[in-house]
Each structure stands twice: as C-alpha cells, then as structure tokens.
Amino acid sequence: MPASERVPEVGLSATAAPELTLLTEGELTVRGQVRDASNAVLYCEVAHEGRTAACVYKPVAGERPLWDFPDGNLARREVAAYLVSEATGWGLVPPTVLRDGPYGEGMVQLWIEAAGAGGADGPDGAGDAGDAGADEAAEAPEAAGPALLALTEDDEPAPGWKAVAEAEVGEGRTALLVHADDDRLRRLAVLDAVINNADRKGGHLLPAPGGRLYGIDHGVTFHTEDKLRTLLWGWAGEPLPPEAVAVLGSLATALAGDLGARLEPLLTAAEIAALRARVARLLETGVHPGPGGDWPSIPWPPV
C-alpha cells in the first residue's frame, strides 16, 4: 500500500509509534501458519533498520466471507479496533496496521507472548495473536489466562469472581462459568461494548508479562446491529466506573473529530454512526450492557 494511502494514526501512545513504524515499513517474512484459526493467520517476522519483531499477518485474501458482515473486510475492522483502543488510552489491543504483504493487503499485528507461555516458538507456542491453542484450553477455560476464567461447582461465584453463565461439563453435570473481577477485564468489557465485539472468547485474552492484558481477534466488530457476544458479562447492569465514564466522554469527542475521520477508510458511514450511537448510549445509561435480543450472548466455542 503506498504511503499516501495508509491509514492515519490517531491517539497513539508514544511507545506504540516505533512499533507501528516497524510493522508498517518493515520487510515481512512468513515463518509459519497459526493452527486452528478460522481464517488465514500467518506467523511472520518483520525487520526494519536493524529492528526485528514477531507479528501476525492476516491477508484479506485468506478471509472467509461472513453472511452477516457484508461490508468491508475483517482486516480493516481489526485496525479500527486498535485505533479505538488507543483513543481510550487503555492500550488493550496490540499495535495493528493495514499494509501490503506477501499475499496482498492484510492486517499485521505485533505478536504478544502470553505470560507463562514458556517462550514464543511461533505458531506452536502459546503466545499468539490468533486462535492457536484453543483446543488445549477447551477443557479448562482458565488456561486462557492466569486467574481470568474458571469453572466452579459452587452455586455462586467466590469473592473476586463474577458469574457469566451455567455451562454443561458432560454426563449431565453443569458448572458455573466465572471470570475474575479484574479492572483489566472490565476495561476490555467496556471496549467490547463500544466496538460491538461479536466474538470475545477466552482464547482472545492474552495476559502479557508485567501484568498487562491484551484482547485480540477483532475481525467481527463494528456491526450496525447489536451483536455483542462475550464471556465478560459479569458486570452486566452494574454502573460503569467513573474511569470508564470519563474515557467514554473523551471517546465521543474524538469520534466527532480526528478519530471519526480516520475510521472512514476502514468502516462504512453507517458503522461509524452506529459506533457513535453506542458510545452515546453507554454514557446515557451509565451501566454495563447486558445480553439481549435473539443473538447468542456467549461465543461458541467459548475458548
């Protein structure tokens, strides 16, 4: 993609700028393919002016068409999710750009090694930005991240945990699916409500070394209809924390200005209008949204 056509940056942290330059300008070399992803997800190395990094490349050509997302492509939605995340100041999405690669235009995102992954070994490692390893996590939701998700046989969540839903665990038994009452997860729940994330699975949560938490895989976002589907329903109906209210107010201002303009190459006018409406609704109600309508509220598979 010529430099003049690249998606402009907005509200980006100073620490993200060098990584974005590396991802955008660097030479992209495919090293492998991430297993078990629903679309083409390639594990790559990017190199620029002596710097190298691992990254994920999702070419548009490798996307499977979706019946309910007829406009645009998934790669552009992933970049839009990154821009919105950066505008919140929370930095919940790894640095993400739209660029040309070996298989055409696609999304390129910095590879995040999950805490406790034991080292990043490419697509066979645990710290990827795709769906790899979801099969291993299926029997233990907490494997998606230390102390983030769990199943309990108790009727009520223990202190420090939030109830999501009852889950069938085989042989006619059920267990309570819970997530941590964690400020990092709560911020991610607010972001998901803003971008209308239709696929917040446990495997899309990446706790990084140092205590930071990232969310990944944001291709099915920004729909004009309500499609929020997540494992982070624990705060549904509760008042938004003051921090979130302040962030949403700033986000509304940004969407009326630079951020809204920079989303135009990525989303349709109707999707941007719906995004602004969701932010306004969250500010008006002042509470975390809850499940509703005919759309399934829990992603499948949940991990």
Side-chain angles (χ1 to χ4, degrees):
M1 180 182 296
S4 61
E5 296 178 11
R6 292 194 183 108
V7 177
E9 300 170 3
V10 59
L12 303 176
S13 63
T15 55
E19 294 170 336
L20 292 172
T21 299
L22 175 62
L23 294 174
T24 303
E25 305 292 344
E27 180 180 357
L28 203 59
T29 303
V30 176
R31 298 300 188 191
Q33 183 170 5
V34 175
R35 300 170 294 121
D36 301 327
S38 55
N39 298 290
V41 181
L42 304 177
Y43 174 75
C44 299
E45 180 182 84
V46 62
H48 179 64
E49 296 183 348
R51 293 190 63 209
T52 62
C55 62
V56 167
Y57 165 47
K58 297 183 182 180
V60 174
E63 296 177 0
R64 294 193 301 182
L66 299 175
W67 66 269
D68 55 342
F69 279 80
D71 298 317
N73 56 54
L74 308 187
R76 290 176 182 267
R77 297 173 193 278
E78 295 235 36
V79 178
Y82 170 69
L83 292 179
V84 173
S85 168
E86 286 297 288
T88 67
W90 288 334
L92 297 170
V93 179
T96 310
V97 302
L98 189 71
R99 58 163 289 177
D100 283 334
Y103 299 102
E105 183 181 81
M107 179 277 281
V108 176
Q109 185 176 83
L110 190 69
W111 178 281
I112 300 299
E113 180 185 352
D121 298 318
D124 294 323
D128 62 80
D131 286 331
D135 50 343
E136 290 87 350
E139 296 181 359
E142 62 270 28
L148 294 179
L149 297 165
L151 289 169
T152 177
E153 295 183 356
D154 297 334
D155 294 332
E156 298 291 335
W161 294 86
K162 290 285 188 178
V164 178
E166 284 194 347
E168 294 185 6
V169 292
E171 300 180 352
R173 297 184 301 115
T174 61
L176 187 64
L177 177 63
V178 296
H179 67 66
D181 189 2
D182 185 304
D183 288 342
R184 301 170 301 166
L185 285 181
R186 193 165 192 173
R187 288 175 172 180
L188 200 55
V190 173
L191 177 66
D192 284 343
V194 167
I195 66 177
N196 199 13
N197 191 355
D199 197 30
R200 176 58 72 204
K201 297 176 180 177
H204 297 171
L205 305 173
L206 288 183
R212 189 162 184 177
L213 178 68
Y214 289 99
I216 58 171
D217 281 358
H218 297 106
V220 284
T221 49
F222 296 104
H223 203 286
T224 55
E225 301 174 10
D226 183 11
K227 290 186 177 288
L228 184 58
R229 188 167 56 177
T230 177
L231 291 181
L232 303 181
W233 288 119
W235 297 282
E238 293 187 14
L240 293 165
E243 176 199 35
V245 174
V247 164
L248 289 167
S250 297
L251 191 57
T253 300
L255 285 169
D258 271 0
L259 178 58
R262 289 176 167 90
L263 290 173
E264 289 178 1
L266 303 171
L267 306 172
T268 67
E271 288 166 344
I272 294 173
L275 169 61
R276 292 188 177 114
R278 285 192 298 273
V279 173
R281 186 167 62 249
L282 286 167
L283 285 168
E284 180 181 1
T285 63
V287 299
H288 286 271
D294 297 328
W295 183 250
S297 61
I298 302 292
W300 185 261
V303 293

